[in-house]
Amino acid sequence: MNATLQKIYAKVPVPVQEWAVTLRGLQIRRQRYGKEFRRLLDEGLTRERQSEGQIRQWQSEQLQRLVAHALTQVPYYREIAERLHLAPGDFRSVADLPKLPILTRDGVRRNFARLVADGVNPKQLWLGHTSGTTGSPLEFYWDNPVVVMTNVVLWRHRACAGFKIGDPFLKLTGNVIVPLAQKTPPYWRYNRALNQLFLSAFHLSEDALPHYVEAIRRFGPRFMDAYPSTAYVLARYVVSRKETIPLRGVFTSSETLLPQQREIIEQAFACEVFDYYGLAERTVFATECEKHAGHHVNMDYGITELVDADGNHVAPGEMGRAVTTGLHNWAMPLLRYETSDVTALGGAPCACGRGFPLMTAVTTKAEDIVVTPDGRHISSSTLTHPFKPMHNIRESQIVQSEPDRIVVKIVPRPEYTDEDTKQLVTGLQERLGDGVRVDLEFLSEIPRERSGKFRWVVSRVPLRF
Ligand SMILES: [Zn+2]
C-alpha cells in the first residue's frame, strides 16, 4: 500500500478496513490462484517425487531456454555474450553455468536498467525489495511467471503439513493492518476472500495478548504463517498461561528460526513448525519437509551453487557462499547472483523421499526483539520495512539500550539527504509509536561483534514475560 492509501486506510472504521483487506484478497486470488496455478502445482507435486537425475534434466532444459533468452534479449547479458564469445549453444546443462561471471549485489545496482529484457513494460511488473539489513537495499522486477511459480512452491511446501487452499489461517507478519493509534481491540482484520485472519505484529503487549488469544480461538484457524520472533512472542504468552491453541502447522520464514523458538512454538500450538527460506531476488526457495532434517532446495525454482572465496565450487557437504540462478523471471533474469548467505549442500538424501537436496542451516544474522515502553514486542523483521526504499543507506543497525529510545546507526551514501532521515524516522515511528524516541547516528562503518557476526537489531531491553 502506498503512503496516501495507508493514511486513508488508518482513518476509516474497522468494517471498511476489513472490506479493503478482502478486496485486496480477491485481487490476489484472481492474480495468483487461476487455472495456470492449479496446473503448475500438480506438475510441481509430481516433480518433487522424481529422481534427482530427472529433476536435473528438467533444470537443464529450463536453463537452456532462459540463458538463450538472456543472451539475446537482455542488454546486460548480450554484452557479456559478445565480450566472452558465448552463444546459447554453449549452455547445454547446469554444468555450463560457470561460463557466466558471478553477478554481485553491486552489479545489479549498477546495471539495473540493462538487466531488464527488451520490450518489457516495467508498469506490468512487480517491484520487489530486499530489506538491506546487512547491506544496502536492492530492488528487482518480478514478472507474472515468477510470481505464479513462487506461489506454487509456497503451496507445495504448505501441502507437507496438509494445508489446503481455503483452510482458515492466521498471518502474523509485517503488514501494517491495524493502525498504531488504535489502543483497543480488534488488533486483527479478517480477509474473507482468502479465509485469513491478519494479526497485527505491532500490538503484541501483555495487555493486548489475551484479546489475541480470544480472537484466535473464536476464528478457529488450522495453520499460521509468521516470523519466528512474532510467533515466539505469541507462543511464549500462551505457554505462560499454561494453555495451548492447537493448530495443524506453523510456517515460519524471513529470520533464522532458533531452536528454543521452535520448541516454544510447537508447545503452544501443539503442532510442528515448517520453516522456509526465500529471497526477494526470487532465485532460491528452500523448504523444510515433515522430517525437519534441513531445508530442501527447490530445484525447479532455481539453481544454487556454493563457492569459496575465489569463486570455485566447494566439495559436497562443505560450506560455501550461495550463488543462485532463478529459473522463472524472464523480465529480469538473475544468472549466478551472489547472495550473502553461507550454507552447505549435498549430504545424505532426506528420509521423506523427495529428490531435492538438503541445505543445512543458513547462517544469517541473529534476530532480536524491540520492547516498547507500553509493553509491545516488535520483531526486527517488521522493522525492516521502512528501510526497503532507502537507497541512500549503505548499512544500518538498530540499538535499543532503554525502553523509550532506539538509536539507528547509519552508514550513508554520498547521496543521503535530510529527506531520507525524515522518511525513515516517520516509517519507524509509525511502527514503534510516540513513546519511543528514534535517534540517528551516522558512521563510516558499523563494527561487527567479536564472533564476526552481524546483528541488525541489538536490544538490551528484556521481554516482559
Ligand atoms: Zn524431506
PDB file of all heavy atoms in Angstrom, residues 406-426:
ATOM      1  N   ILE A 406      15.483   4.287  20.710  1.00  0.00           N
ATOM      2  CA  ILE A 406      16.341   3.437  19.891  1.00  0.00           C
ATOM      3  C   ILE A 406      17.318   4.330  19.131  1.00  0.00           C
ATOM      4  O   ILE A 406      17.013   5.478  18.802  1.00  0.00           O
ATOM      5  CB  ILE A 406      15.571   2.544  18.886  1.00  0.00           C
ATOM      6  CG1 ILE A 406      14.823   3.368  17.863  1.00  0.00           C
ATOM      7  CG2 ILE A 406      14.659   1.557  19.567  1.00  0.00           C
ATOM      8  CD1 ILE A 406      14.468   2.583  16.620  1.00  0.00           C
ATOM      9  N   VAL A 407      18.485   3.800  18.910  1.00  0.00           N
ATOM     10  CA  VAL A 407      19.485   4.509  18.114  1.00  0.00           C
ATOM     11  C   VAL A 407      19.638   3.746  16.808  1.00  0.00           C
ATOM     12  O   VAL A 407      19.847   2.527  16.818  1.00  0.00           O
ATOM     13  CB  VAL A 407      20.838   4.583  18.854  1.00  0.00           C
ATOM     14  CG1 VAL A 407      21.898   5.199  17.958  1.00  0.00           C
ATOM     15  CG2 VAL A 407      20.685   5.376  20.147  1.00  0.00           C
ATOM     16  N   VAL A 408      19.463   4.457  15.702  1.00  0.00           N
ATOM     17  CA  VAL A 408      19.656   3.827  14.404  1.00  0.00           C
ATOM     18  C   VAL A 408      21.018   4.260  13.883  1.00  0.00           C
ATOM     19  O   VAL A 408      21.252   5.438  13.644  1.00  0.00           O
ATOM     20  CB  VAL A 408      18.554   4.239  13.402  1.00  0.00           C
ATOM     21  CG1 VAL A 408      18.732   3.492  12.096  1.00  0.00           C
ATOM     22  CG2 VAL A 408      17.180   3.979  13.982  1.00  0.00           C
ATOM     23  N   LYS A 409      21.911   3.298  13.767  1.00  0.00           N
ATOM     24  CA  LYS A 409      23.242   3.602  13.233  1.00  0.00           C
ATOM     25  C   LYS A 409      23.166   3.503  11.724  1.00  0.00           C
ATOM     26  O   LYS A 409      22.629   2.514  11.191  1.00  0.00           O
ATOM     27  CB  LYS A 409      24.266   2.617  13.782  1.00  0.00           C
ATOM     28  CG  LYS A 409      24.444   2.745  15.273  1.00  0.00           C
ATOM     29  CD  LYS A 409      25.517   1.797  15.773  1.00  0.00           C
ATOM     30  CE  LYS A 409      25.749   2.019  17.261  1.00  0.00           C
ATOM     31  NZ  LYS A 409      26.706   1.059  17.799  1.00  0.00           N
ATOM     32  N   ILE A 410      23.688   4.501  11.057  1.00  0.00           N
ATOM     33  CA  ILE A 410      23.566   4.558   9.605  1.00  0.00           C
ATOM     34  C   ILE A 410      24.910   4.849   8.949  1.00  0.00           C
ATOM     35  O   ILE A 410      25.627   5.760   9.377  1.00  0.00           O
ATOM     36  CB  ILE A 410      22.545   5.641   9.210  1.00  0.00           C
ATOM     37  CG1 ILE A 410      21.129   5.133   9.515  1.00  0.00           C
ATOM     38  CG2 ILE A 410      22.650   6.018   7.731  1.00  0.00           C
ATOM     39  CD1 ILE A 410      20.073   6.153   9.308  1.00  0.00           C
ATOM     40  N   VAL A 411      25.226   4.049   7.951  1.00  0.00           N
ATOM     41  CA  VAL A 411      26.371   4.377   7.096  1.00  0.00           C
ATOM     42  C   VAL A 411      25.760   4.929   5.801  1.00  0.00           C
ATOM     43  O   VAL A 411      25.213   4.168   5.005  1.00  0.00           O
ATOM     44  CB  VAL A 411      27.234   3.134   6.802  1.00  0.00           C
ATOM     45  CG1 VAL A 411      28.428   3.505   5.929  1.00  0.00           C
ATOM     46  CG2 VAL A 411      27.694   2.479   8.100  1.00  0.00           C
ATOM     47  N   PRO A 412      25.782   6.256   5.629  1.00  0.00           N
ATOM     48  CA  PRO A 412      25.080   6.825   4.473  1.00  0.00           C
ATOM     49  C   PRO A 412      25.919   6.779   3.201  1.00  0.00           C
ATOM     50  O   PRO A 412      27.148   6.689   3.255  1.00  0.00           O
ATOM     51  CB  PRO A 412      24.858   8.282   4.893  1.00  0.00           C
ATOM     52  CG  PRO A 412      25.982   8.581   5.844  1.00  0.00           C
ATOM     53  CD  PRO A 412      26.409   7.283   6.472  1.00  0.00           C
ATOM     54  N   ARG A 413      25.233   6.798   2.076  1.00  0.00           N
ATOM     55  CA  ARG A 413      25.904   7.016   0.797  1.00  0.00           C
ATOM     56  C   ARG A 413      26.030   8.524   0.601  1.00  0.00           C
ATOM     57  O   ARG A 413      25.305   9.292   1.247  1.00  0.00           O
ATOM     58  CB  ARG A 413      25.054   6.458  -0.350  1.00  0.00           C
ATOM     59  CG  ARG A 413      24.987   4.970  -0.377  1.00  0.00           C
ATOM     60  CD  ARG A 413      24.181   4.462  -1.546  1.00  0.00           C
ATOM     61  NE  ARG A 413      24.164   3.011  -1.480  1.00  0.00           N
ATOM     62  CZ  ARG A 413      25.159   2.238  -1.924  1.00  0.00           C
ATOM     63  NH1 ARG A 413      26.213   2.779  -2.519  1.00  0.00           N
ATOM     64  NH2 ARG A 413      25.096   0.937  -1.799  1.00  0.00           N
ATOM     65  N   PRO A 414      26.886   8.978  -0.323  1.00  0.00           N
ATOM     66  CA  PRO A 414      27.040  10.424  -0.522  1.00  0.00           C
ATOM     67  C   PRO A 414      25.718  11.118  -0.881  1.00  0.00           C
ATOM     68  O   PRO A 414      25.525  12.289  -0.562  1.00  0.00           O
ATOM     69  CB  PRO A 414      28.023  10.519  -1.695  1.00  0.00           C
ATOM     70  CG  PRO A 414      28.736   9.212  -1.723  1.00  0.00           C
ATOM     71  CD  PRO A 414      27.800   8.189  -1.157  1.00  0.00           C
ATOM     72  N   GLU A 415      24.775  10.380  -1.501  1.00  0.00           N
ATOM     73  CA  GLU A 415      23.512  10.996  -1.937  1.00  0.00           C
ATOM     74  C   GLU A 415      22.529  11.208  -0.797  1.00  0.00           C
ATOM     75  O   GLU A 415      21.446  11.754  -0.998  1.00  0.00           O
ATOM     76  CB  GLU A 415      22.827  10.123  -3.006  1.00  0.00           C
ATOM     77  CG  GLU A 415      23.645   9.839  -4.254  1.00  0.00           C
ATOM     78  CD  GLU A 415      24.650   8.690  -4.085  1.00  0.00           C
ATOM     79  OE1 GLU A 415      24.471   7.869  -3.169  1.00  0.00           O
ATOM     80  OE2 GLU A 415      25.628   8.642  -4.867  1.00  0.00           O
ATOM     81  N   TYR A 416      22.854  10.736   0.399  1.00  0.00           N
ATOM     82  CA  TYR A 416      21.922  10.797   1.528  1.00  0.00           C
ATOM     83  C   TYR A 416      21.554  12.247   1.867  1.00  0.00           C
ATOM     84  O   TYR A 416      22.413  13.111   1.911  1.00  0.00           O
ATOM     85  CB  TYR A 416      22.559  10.129   2.746  1.00  0.00           C
ATOM     86  CG  TYR A 416      21.609   9.911   3.903  1.00  0.00           C
ATOM     87  CD1 TYR A 416      20.935   8.717   4.051  1.00  0.00           C
ATOM     88  CD2 TYR A 416      21.387  10.920   4.844  1.00  0.00           C
ATOM     89  CE1 TYR A 416      20.055   8.513   5.110  1.00  0.00           C
ATOM     90  CE2 TYR A 416      20.508  10.730   5.901  1.00  0.00           C
ATOM     91  CZ  TYR A 416      19.851   9.528   6.027  1.00  0.00           C
ATOM     92  OH  TYR A 416      18.973   9.338   7.073  1.00  0.00           O
ATOM     93  N   THR A 417      20.238  12.505   2.103  1.00  0.00           N
ATOM     94  CA  THR A 417      19.792  13.866   2.450  1.00  0.00           C
ATOM     95  C   THR A 417      18.899  13.858   3.684  1.00  0.00           C
ATOM     96  O   THR A 417      18.510  12.786   4.172  1.00  0.00           O
ATOM     97  CB  THR A 417      18.961  14.497   1.306  1.00  0.00           C
ATOM     98  OG1 THR A 417      17.748  13.720   1.172  1.00  0.00           O
ATOM     99  CG2 THR A 417      19.699  14.506  -0.014  1.00  0.00           C
ATOM    100  N   ASP A 418      18.523  15.058   4.144  1.00  0.00           N
ATOM    101  CA  ASP A 418      17.607  15.190   5.279  1.00  0.00           C
ATOM    102  C   ASP A 418      16.254  14.555   4.984  1.00  0.00           C
ATOM    103  O   ASP A 418      15.555  14.100   5.873  1.00  0.00           O
ATOM    104  CB  ASP A 418      17.398  16.679   5.620  1.00  0.00           C
ATOM    105  CG  ASP A 418      18.649  17.274   6.244  1.00  0.00           C
ATOM    106  OD1 ASP A 418      19.545  16.485   6.617  1.00  0.00           O
ATOM    107  OD2 ASP A 418      18.734  18.511   6.353  1.00  0.00           O
ATOM    108  N   GLU A 419      15.894  14.563   3.698  1.00  0.00           N
ATOM    109  CA  GLU A 419      14.614  13.969   3.284  1.00  0.00           C
ATOM    110  C   GLU A 419      14.606  12.466   3.627  1.00  0.00           C
ATOM    111  O   GLU A 419      13.592  11.931   4.073  1.00  0.00           O
ATOM    112  CB  GLU A 419      14.433  14.195   1.769  1.00  0.00           C
ATOM    113  CG  GLU A 419      13.025  14.024   1.239  1.00  0.00           C
ATOM    114  CD  GLU A 419      11.953  14.729   2.081  1.00  0.00           C
ATOM    115  OE1 GLU A 419      12.128  15.924   2.430  1.00  0.00           O
ATOM    116  OE2 GLU A 419      10.956  14.057   2.378  1.00  0.00           O
ATOM    117  N   ASP A 420      15.746  11.792   3.448  1.00  0.00           N
ATOM    118  CA  ASP A 420      15.862  10.372   3.798  1.00  0.00           C
ATOM    119  C   ASP A 420      15.638  10.175   5.294  1.00  0.00           C
ATOM    120  O   ASP A 420      14.946   9.251   5.716  1.00  0.00           O
ATOM    121  CB  ASP A 420      17.245   9.830   3.405  1.00  0.00           C
ATOM    122  CG  ASP A 420      17.427   9.768   1.893  1.00  0.00           C
ATOM    123  OD1 ASP A 420      16.550   9.204   1.227  1.00  0.00           O
ATOM    124  OD2 ASP A 420      18.438  10.291   1.389  1.00  0.00           O
ATOM    125  N   THR A 421      16.258  11.066   6.085  1.00  0.00           N
ATOM    126  CA  THR A 421      16.107  10.980   7.540  1.00  0.00           C
ATOM    127  C   THR A 421      14.640  11.089   7.912  1.00  0.00           C
ATOM    128  O   THR A 421      14.118  10.294   8.691  1.00  0.00           O
ATOM    129  CB  THR A 421      16.898  12.128   8.230  1.00  0.00           C
ATOM    130  OG1 THR A 421      18.285  11.930   7.945  1.00  0.00           O
ATOM    131  CG2 THR A 421      16.679  12.123   9.728  1.00  0.00           C
ATOM    132  N   LYS A 422      13.965  12.073   7.295  1.00  0.00           N
ATOM    133  CA  LYS A 422      12.559  12.324   7.611  1.00  0.00           C
ATOM    134  C   LYS A 422      11.705  11.084   7.311  1.00  0.00           C
ATOM    135  O   LYS A 422      10.910  10.641   8.125  1.00  0.00           O
ATOM    136  CB  LYS A 422      12.059  13.519   6.780  1.00  0.00           C
ATOM    137  CG  LYS A 422      11.201  14.471   7.562  1.00  0.00           C
ATOM    138  CD  LYS A 422      10.885  15.715   6.748  1.00  0.00           C
ATOM    139  CE  LYS A 422       9.435  15.711   6.304  1.00  0.00           C
ATOM    140  NZ  LYS A 422       9.164  16.762   5.326  1.00  0.00           N
ATOM    141  N   GLN A 423      11.931  10.540   6.117  1.00  0.00           N
ATOM    142  CA  GLN A 423      11.147   9.385   5.671  1.00  0.00           C
ATOM    143  C   GLN A 423      11.384   8.168   6.578  1.00  0.00           C
ATOM    144  O   GLN A 423      10.454   7.467   6.954  1.00  0.00           O
ATOM    145  CB  GLN A 423      11.545   9.066   4.228  1.00  0.00           C
ATOM    146  CG  GLN A 423      10.570   8.132   3.535  1.00  0.00           C
ATOM    147  CD  GLN A 423      11.095   7.712   2.167  1.00  0.00           C
ATOM    148  OE1 GLN A 423      11.931   8.387   1.574  1.00  0.00           O
ATOM    149  NE2 GLN A 423      10.612   6.586   1.676  1.00  0.00           N
ATOM    150  N   LEU A 424      12.644   7.949   6.933  1.00  0.00           N
ATOM    151  CA  LEU A 424      12.994   6.786   7.754  1.00  0.00           C
ATOM    152  C   LEU A 424      12.409   6.906   9.157  1.00  0.00           C
ATOM    153  O   LEU A 424      11.800   5.972   9.674  1.00  0.00           O
ATOM    154  CB  LEU A 424      14.520   6.645   7.825  1.00  0.00           C
ATOM    155  CG  LEU A 424      15.023   5.453   8.629  1.00  0.00           C
ATOM    156  CD1 LEU A 424      14.619   4.148   7.976  1.00  0.00           C
ATOM    157  CD2 LEU A 424      16.537   5.499   8.791  1.00  0.00           C
ATOM    158  N   VAL A 425      12.582   8.098   9.752  1.00  0.00           N
ATOM    159  CA  VAL A 425      12.087   8.296  11.126  1.00  0.00           C
ATOM    160  C   VAL A 425      10.560   8.156  11.145  1.00  0.00           C
ATOM    161  O   VAL A 425      10.002   7.517  12.040  1.00  0.00           O
ATOM    162  CB  VAL A 425      12.559   9.656  11.694  1.00  0.00           C
ATOM    163  CG1 VAL A 425      11.896   9.947  13.033  1.00  0.00           C
ATOM    164  CG2 VAL A 425      14.081   9.658  11.855  1.00  0.00           C
ATOM    165  N   THR A 426       9.882   8.714  10.128  1.00  0.00           N
ATOM    166  CA  THR A 426       8.419   8.586  10.054  1.00  0.00           C
ATOM    167  C   THR A 426       8.014   7.113   9.993  1.00  0.00           C
ATOM    168  O   THR A 426       7.123   6.668  10.718  1.00  0.00           O
ATOM    169  CB  THR A 426       7.874   9.323   8.804  1.00  0.00           C
ATOM    170  OG1 THR A 426       8.361  10.668   8.842  1.00  0.00           O
ATOM    171  CG2 THR A 426       6.364   9.343   8.783  1.00  0.00           C
TER     172      THR A 426
END
